[in-house]
Amino acid sequence: MYEVIYQEIEEKKEYEAIIEKVLVKCFEEEGLENSKLSITITLTTPKNIQEINQKYRGIDKETDVLSFPMFEKEELEKKIQERDFFYEDILGDIIVSIEKVQEQAKEYGHSFERELSYMIVHGFYHLMGYDHIKDEDKNKMRPKEEKILTDLKINRVKKEVE
């Protein structure tokens, strides 16, 4: 279902446990748990994600997460509807800047788990063909993301200040 690649960062089982929990729920929610679709998750540095962003999107800046889907939304919907999962297929790639996840967790006042989980679910729904540029698209994508996180009880609760 997925493979985690570490690019110039330390491997941590904590990251993999979070990723697995979120992806299992995403696949389950979308009825893909018996599919042979797989995702590659690359955990990397801000510098590497900036280079990838520049190379493939022409945007020369760091970001938190990038997604590269293998299917157009309509093509994937047809595949899902026809249950065309006899062969292994790659759903796409998700690339996450772990340093950005750490920074944003602090900035937003929630846990590292919450921030990484959001990056994974957000990337997953991009691979599924969803977007958030236009409000009408965002109104379809955001509820799906929030449902996954809510079902997993990974909430956006502010940490208490001591």
Side-chain angles (χ1 to χ4, degrees), residues 57-73:
R57 298 181 65 227
I59 301 172
D60 190 20
K61 69 176 216 174
E62 293 176 16
T63 189
D64 48 11
V65 63
L66 292 171
S67 303
F68 296 97
M70 294 300 288
F71 298 99
E72 294 294 327
K73 189 169 186 356

Side-chain angles (χ1 to χ4, degrees), residues 23 39-42 49 52-53 56-57 63-71 90-97 118-132 141 145:
L23 285 180
I39 297 173
T40 300
I41 311 280
T42 301
I49 209 166
I52 295 165
N53 207 13
Y56 294 101
R57 298 181 65 227
T63 189
D64 48 11
V65 63
L66 292 171
S67 303
F68 296 97
M70 294 300 288
F71 298 99
I90 297 172
L91 186 57
D93 298 313
I94 300 171
I95 303 165
V96 178
S97 169
Y118 179 75
M119 293 300 130
I120 299 301
V121 75
H122 184 77
F124 173 82
Y125 278 109
H126 275 308
L127 298 184
M128 293 293 293
Y130 291 87
D131 209 339
H132 51 83
M141 185 174 178
E145 295 170 336

Side-chain angles (χ1 to χ4, degrees), residues 36-92:
K36 293 185 179 181
L37 291 170
S38 66
I39 297 173
T40 300
I41 311 280
T42 301
L43 304 177
T44 193
T45 64
K47 178 183 174 287
N48 286 335
I49 209 166
Q50 179 177 355
E51 289 171 2
I52 295 165
N53 207 13
Q54 170 62 39
K55 181 175 181 178
Y56 294 101
R57 298 181 65 227
I59 301 172
D60 190 20
K61 69 176 216 174
E62 293 176 16
T63 189
D64 48 11
V65 63
L66 292 171
S67 303
F68 296 97
M70 294 300 288
F71 298 99
E72 294 294 327
K73 189 169 186 356
E74 296 75 27
E75 182 184 12
L76 184 58
E77 285 173 349
K78 182 179 180 208
K79 191 173 192 56
I80 291 168
Q81 187 176 32
E82 294 174 357
R83 307 308 294 163
D84 180 16
F85 298 123
F86 300 113
Y87 307 101
E88 286 191 22
D89 254 325
I90 297 172
L91 186 57

